[in-house]
Amino acid sequence: MLLTRYVARRLLLTIPLLIGITLVLFLLYNLIPVDPVAVLIPESGFRDPELTAQTIERWGLDRSLPEQYMIYILNLLRGDLGISFITRQPVMDDLLTRLPATLELTVCAMLFAIVVGIPAGLIAGLRRGGWFDRVTWLGTLITASIPPFWLGLIYLTVFWYDLRIAVGPGQIGSRMNRPEVVTGFITLDSLIAGDLNAFRSGLAHLVLPTLVLGGFTLAVVLRLTRAAIIEEMRREYIRTARSKGLRERTIVVRHGLRNVLLPLVTLLGLTFAGLIGGAVMTETVFNWPGLGQYLVQASINLDYPAIQGGTLLVATAYLLVNLLVDVLYGILDPRVRDDG
Amino acid sequence: MKSTAVFKTGHLLMLVSVMIALALGAVAVGAQEAPVIIVATNIGDVVAFDPAQNGSFTTNSLYYHLYERLYELPANPNDPLIPNLATGHSVSEDGLVWTFNLREGVTFASGNPLTAEDVVFSWNRVAGFRNEPAQVFSLFVDGVEAVDPLTVQVTLKTGAFPVPVPFFDVLTALPSFSIMDSQLVIANGGSIDRSEDTAGEWLNQNSAGSGPFILTGWATESEVTLVRNENYWTGEIPAIGGVTLRQVNDSTTALQLLETDDVDIAQNLDKDLAERISANPDLTLQAGQTLSIVYLALSPSDAFENSPLVDARVRRAIMLAIDYDGIVNELLGGFAERPAGVVPVGILGAEESLPYRYERDPDTARALLAEAGYSDGLEITLNFRSSPLGGLGTDILAAKLAADLAEIGVVAVPNIQADSVFRTGRNTRQFSAFVTTFSADFFDPTNWTILFAVPGFANIGFYIGLNNEALQDAAFETLFAPAEERAAAVASFHQMLADEAIYSVLYQPQTIDAVANVVQGYQFHPIALINYADLSR
């Protein structure tokens, strides 16, 4: 099968999935016992019939359910996710304002997991049973089993509040001026503004949340790499390579590692989308003004348009990353294309 | 001798010039480095920085520093109003027409002079947008016009009240009556017509006022920055260079940031941190008296099937069973007041009403229940919203009330709901008993008396199906009574309210701020919260 046809087929498959997600979200909305009018109108205006009628019309609350669903879908296609009950802003704008902070943290966490996790996994796997293997086994067990909000609190208390060797919560030092928003990424924006102090502060503020958010992914990546390399090094082709007299280093990097990368791509794709969801806890603890905090607030206040929009965004991110992984797989391993 | 003298003169000259240089340097440094006060707080309620769009707790407090009004509310709401942009006013005999004289020589931060046109533009814009801030205006005001550059004429209407509101000057002190620089707002897309106005985005990052500070930025749920207005028309330019509000969600984190010198003030902290703040020699605990109340409402309406609350004796028994002192002292650490009724402490008539306050009396409560035929006890559902009530966790308060009521044989089943679910249930009259909080729109006793007693006008009486004419008359009496008898009218309203046993005010919370000792001049204000203009560091 041609690669383009393969990609097109995968893309088509995501459409029913997306429709399914929107339908579930829409139906859930109608199960919650909230009268949007009561939420939208200020306390003292509730008995103002003119204002009530206006609100009902403006939000299309007097239509039938299928009609409301159609309105919802048509708005979605135009990129309109509705207006948040709480912020009174378009949900799309709200999400886009907060997305960069979450992405910045997520990318850092991902890089941390890859840069540390893969080499450490290799070393642990190659020296199986050695002291390094044992130490990483214990370390990954701990980071993978402690919930991130708890770990975040501990890190903050120990490294910031007690030892004063790390900076506190937030995206940038409290007494520091935020650089002008260009990309929304605080490190990039401070570089664009040429403010090196803000850049340093921004980087320093990324350290602890990255450790917390990336810790779990790191553990998974490390364990997977370790298991995969142990598996690969037992294979016949490695023995052949050895018998050919290749250097051990070449064998590991050029032959073993290549085959380990394949399952890692799947794993990393899934965890990247998962990280965006996992950022909810981390952002709350670290006072990080990202999507996570927004969604927590939205859930507490039952701000349904915001919950709907946020859920749709995370779900779409999952679908897209899955798609990307499938495509990458198709490129890396042509056999996959034929199977589909 | 002579040469020494010359030598000395030379020295002196040098010394003087060095001193001048130093002084100049100090001035230059001082101007550049006027300290910025960093406040850890919650700015999550900010929706917009446009007085016509948003009147949240945080924005209202900041409008106070960015904008000014005809009159200003003093820190103690019982003190007389402070004339600011107006020097005085006169009222027509029928009370319908109010004429305000504006102060001469007031300029906005932009340098534009403040005129009657600015007042007309600002108020009409708020009213025309029909958002939350328009409420008070549209209830009482028919129209506003400029007579000449320094005279504004306001025509009031009746309807909300049976007479034109006799204290309209008090209303002009509200944040929603802030005066904007109409030229500047129009230049940035502003209009009194909501459909044509495009100034919102600009106003979210800038201000157009005459106050001691200027808004220089707002990042959603992250920070708000103000700098001082170097052109402040009074000439009393603030000693601090500016204020930055930082979003910190959690009280403990906010206090930790203060302890590590990352911020200067931690605002609105949880009560359980009070001891830790007091124990720190570098910090000062500042308690501020809010004007909000947390109250229990019991519906006397027979619209609820088999509701035992229809019997006033049952309602009274419930109110007598509550351990009010325990709530204030144990649960709130003493950081709360206990007003007699719905009118909070600090407002006209609250003090005169104290004899009618409920005090705990379980024996009388049990006797009342027996008299009403409930000697075996009864069950009610108490509805709560989930977010904290005046700084106290809803679950804690619900447990306390359930325990108190259990002592007289009343089983109070708590039903804690998400805020919007709670609002829906209450607004559609599904609750015969609920506990919630109320913050006033304006600081005249009628904002409480009429709102709580008259179902036709406002909501709280409506929510519980209240239809008690004697109580309505008593509420209106707090409006009609001559000035010197209003306090007594408030007291007799509270007396009747206590007999009817419909509302019981559990507490009037205080806020707790922790302030670094290097910050001088802190004073709490019920709307502005902190008087930033008087701070120094």
Side-chain angles (χ1 to χ4, degrees):
Chain A
M1 200 186 288
L2 279 171
L3 189 64
T4 41
R5 270 194 68 189
Y6 170 74
V7 172
R9 227 185 120 226
R10 286 274 148 196
L11 259 172
L12 278 178
L13 272 175
T14 57
I15 292 172
L17 274 172
L18 273 173
I19 292 177
I21 292 167
T22 56
L23 199 63
V24 169
L25 284 174
F26 179 78
L27 289 177
L28 275 178
Y29 181 25
N30 285 284
L31 285 177
I32 290 174
V34 175
D35 176 6
V37 179
V39 180
L40 288 167
I41 295 183
E43 292 260 325
S44 36
F46 183 63
R47 302 204 61 218
D48 179 347
E50 198 190 326
L51 196 64
T52 312
Q54 241 178 32
T55 310
I56 289 176
E57 207 202 312
R58 200 169 130 210
W59 294 74
L61 299 170
D62 50 350
R63 312 285 179 84
S64 70
L65 270 192
E67 264 184 289
Q68 286 193 33
Y69 180 66
M70 280 318 289
I71 295 173
Y72 170 59
I73 290 292
L74 286 176
N75 286 342
L76 266 188
L77 290 177
R78 271 183 275 137
D80 180 358
L81 294 176
I83 291 175
S84 156
F85 290 161
I86 305 299
T87 69
R88 310 266 160 136
Q89 303 293 316
V91 172
M92 191 59 127
D93 291 359
D94 277 354
L95 294 176
L96 289 180
T97 324
R98 289 158 176 88
L99 189 62
T102 302
L103 277 184
E104 192 171 19
L105 181 56
T106 311
V107 167
C108 283
M110 196 75 195
L111 282 178
F112 168 66
I114 293 172
V115 169
V116 179
I118 295 180
L122 281 181
I123 296 170
L126 293 171
R127 311 242 165 86
R128 194 174 159 202
W131 67 267
F132 187 78
D133 191 25
R134 284 179 206 190
V135 169
T136 52
W137 177 78
L138 190 69
T140 50
L141 192 71
I142 292 172
T143 44
S145 47
I146 296 180
F149 72 89
W150 173 250
L151 202 61
L153 285 175
I154 298 291
Y155 280 1
L156 272 178
T157 308
V158 174
F159 298 118
W160 166 57
Y161 190 67
D162 288 340
L163 298 177
R164 306 273 162 105
I165 54 172
V167 291
Q171 255 191 315
I172 190 168
S174 300
R175 296 188 186 278
M176 196 90 50
N177 291 323
R178 280 179 81 90
E180 204 184 322
V181 177
V182 183
T183 60
F185 292 80
I186 221 154
T187 44
L188 286 183
D189 284 351
S190 53
L191 280 183
I192 291 170
D195 186 347
L196 282 182
N197 279 330
F199 176 70
R200 268 195 293 272
S201 178
L203 266 191
H205 279 83
L206 271 166
V207 173
L208 288 186
T210 296
L211 288 181
V212 170
L213 185 60
F216 181 79
T217 314
L218 169 79
V220 180
V221 167
L222 196 152
R223 303 302 298 169
L224 187 84
T225 312
R226 177 185 174 275
I229 198 76
I230 290 173
E231 184 70 29
E232 284 304 320
M233 293 310 277
R234 285 204 199 110
R235 302 230 174 195
E236 304 253 312
Y237 73 92
I238 297 282
R239 207 187 302 161
T240 315
R242 281 212 179 103
S243 62
K244 272 166 58 182
L246 285 180
R247 278 190 309 162
E248 190 66 17
R249 192 192 167 88
T250 319
I251 295 169
V252 172
V253 175
R254 297 210 27 201
H255 297 279
L257 186 59
R258 263 199 188 175
N259 287 308
V260 171
L261 283 180
L262 216 54
L264 266 179
V265 168
T266 321
L267 178 81
L268 289 177
L270 289 178
T271 45
F272 187 76
L275 279 176
I276 294 182
V280 171
M281 293 283 188
T282 317
E283 285 180 5
T284 307
V285 173
F286 284 96
N287 226 352
W288 203 263
L291 277 182
Q293 272 203 23
Y294 180 68
L295 290 180
V296 168
Q297 283 310 313
S299 319
I300 291 173
N301 294 305
L302 272 185
D303 181 356
Y304 209 81
I307 300 176
Q308 229 170 8
T311 314
L312 198 62
L313 182 82
V314 175
T316 315
Y318 258 101
L319 284 181
L320 285 183
V321 171
N322 258 312
L323 183 75
L324 199 73
V325 167
D326 281 351
V327 172
L328 266 180
Y329 236 86
I331 295 171
L332 289 175
D333 188 348
R335 282 174 302 174
V336 176
R337 275 184 262 164
D338 296 334
D339 290 349
Chain B
M1 276 298 272
K2 206 179 176 183
S3 67
T4 327
V6 170
F7 180 68
K8 270 190 177 166
T9 318
H11 257 243
L12 203 70
L13 269 174
M14 260 177 73
L15 196 71
V16 167
S17 46
V18 165
M19 276 173 73
I20 288 174
L22 276 178
L24 282 176
V27 168
V29 167
Q32 220 171 26
E33 293 187 358
V36 172
I37 301 287
I38 315 287
V39 183
T41 186
N42 190 338
I43 55 166
D45 60 340
V46 178
V47 172
F49 266 105
D50 181 346
Q53 293 279 11
N54 188 210
S56 73
F57 189 67
T58 305
T59 49
N60 276 347
S61 79
L62 293 178
Y63 294 153
Y64 224 82
H65 307 283
L66 303 170
Y67 297 93
E68 291 181 301
R69 289 136 295 272
L70 301 193
Y71 286 89
E72 303 290 356
L73 189 81
N76 176 359
N78 238 348
D79 287 344
L81 284 176
I82 305 163
N84 194 11
L85 300 181
T87 51
H89 66 266
S90 58
V91 187
S92 68
E93 228 165 83
D94 57 5
L96 276 171
V97 180
W98 287 58
T99 309
F100 291 91
N101 309 313
L102 299 186
R103 193 178 297 279
E104 243 185 297
V106 177
T107 51
F108 289 105
S110 66
N112 293 334
L114 185 145
T115 69
E117 287 300 337
D118 295 305
V119 177
V120 173
F121 174 84
S122 306
W123 291 2
N124 279 337
R125 189 166 174 274
V126 169
F129 277 43
R130 296 204 72 176
N131 284 318
E132 227 158 337
Q135 288 299 321
V136 174
F137 193 90
S138 46
L139 279 178
F140 299 112
V141 183
D142 199 31
V144 49
E145 56 183 309
V147 177
D148 64 55
L150 289 177
T151 313
V152 177
Q153 205 170 68
V154 181
T155 312
L156 301 183
K157 64 180 177 193
T158 55
F161 283 5
V163 294
V165 57
F167 47 84
F168 181 67
D169 50 341
V170 176
L171 303 185
T172 68
L174 295 176
S176 54
F177 284 74
S178 295
I179 308 304
M180 302 176 97
D181 183 341
S182 60
Q183 291 179 43
L184 188 60
V185 176
I186 290 169
N188 286 287
S191 165
I192 54 170
D193 185 346
R194 183 188 182 140
S195 58
E196 284 173 16
D197 185 277
T198 53
E201 214 159 296
W202 184 82
L203 282 169
N204 283 344
Q205 302 297 328
N206 301 276
S207 57
S210 60
F213 290 92
I214 303 168
L215 180 73
T216 51
W218 166 46
T220 313
E221 277 165 43
S222 179
E223 68 169 28
V224 176
T225 47
L226 318 181
V227 300
R228 67 180 174 194
N229 173 4
E230 304 283 352
N231 302 323
Y232 192 34
W233 62 273
T234 63
E236 290 168 24
I237 295 158
I240 56 170
V243 180
T244 299
L245 305 189
R246 289 238 173 252
Q247 170 79 30
V248 180
N249 297 318
D250 170 64
S251 266
T252 311
T253 310
L255 183 57
Q256 284 179 335
L257 283 166
L258 180 64
E259 288 166 344
T260 53
D261 198 32
D262 286 311
V263 301
D264 301 305
I265 297 172
Q267 201 174 25
N268 209 351
L269 301 176
D270 289 345
K271 314 279 187 280
D272 55 5
L273 294 173
E275 256 175 64
R276 183 162 146 194
I277 302 164
S278 306
N280 189 328
D282 299 323
L283 305 179
T284 306
L285 185 146
Q286 299 279 4
Q289 186 59 62
T290 69
L291 293 172
S292 50
I293 52 171
V294 175
Y295 67 95
L296 163 70
L298 300 177
S299 170
S301 165
D302 50 14
F304 299 98
E305 244 173 87
N306 303 325
S307 168
L309 299 174
V310 173
D311 192 325
R313 287 169 298 192
V314 174
R315 301 197 300 271
R316 204 171 155 70
I318 289 174
M319 283 160 185
L320 289 174
I322 298 170
D323 172 20
Y324 300 98
D325 290 338
I327 295 174
V328 169
N329 294 326
E330 308 298 326
L331 303 188
L332 289 156
F335 291 104
E337 284 281 353
R338 264 261 286 138
V342 292
V343 175
V345 173
I347 297 294
L348 182 75
E351 217 177 299
E352 289 78 357
S353 307
L354 282 177
Y356 311 114
R357 190 167 79 171
Y358 290 114
E359 302 298 344
R360 187 183 195 209
D361 185 356
D363 294 332
T364 310
R366 272 186 284 263
L368 280 169
L369 276 189
E371 214 183 295
Y374 290 101
S375 38
D376 296 336
L378 60 101
E379 187 181 304
I380 57 165
T381 303
L382 264 187
N383 294 281
F384 295 85
R385 64 164 206 201
S386 59
S387 61
L389 293 161
L392 180 59
T394 301
D395 46 346
I396 299 173
L397 182 62
K400 171 69 177 163
L401 290 179
D404 288 349
L405 294 184
E407 277 188 39
I408 62 161
V410 173
V411 179
V413 183
N415 181 20
I416 301 177
Q417 306 145 77
D419 289 24
S420 46
V421 180
F422 174 81
R423 266 185 87 172
T424 302
R426 186 195 55 178
N427 292 8
T428 50
R429 300 213 258 190
Q430 291 169 24
F431 301 155
S432 61
F434 62 81
V435 175
T436 189
T437 177
F438 175 75
S439 303
D441 289 317
F442 51 89
F443 301 132
D444 184 86
T446 48
N447 194 195
W448 289 272
T449 57
I450 292 182
L451 207 68
F452 275 84
V454 183
F457 160 51
N459 307 307
I460 295 162
F462 166 81
Y463 296 148
I464 56 168
L466 188 58
N467 195 8
N468 184 325
E469 275 181 24
L471 195 63
Q472 287 180 36
D473 291 343
F476 279 125
E477 193 51 33
T478 66
L479 172 68
F480 295 138
E484 63 280 5
E485 287 165 31
R486 289 188 77 203
V490 171
S492 46
F493 169 79
H494 276 146
Q495 183 180 15
M496 191 177 283
L497 201 61
D499 289 342
E500 295 292 331
I502 292 160
Y503 306 107
S504 179
V505 176
L506 305 175
Y507 51 91
Q508 179 186 345
Q510 292 175 346
T511 59
I512 293 182
D513 289 1
V515 183
N517 286 345
V518 289
V519 176
Q520 306 284 313
Y522 175 100
Q523 202 201 351
F524 181 82
H525 185 284
I527 298 181
L529 302 180
I530 299 174
N531 55 332
Y532 294 123
D534 299 337
L535 291 184
S536 61
R537 188 179 191 272

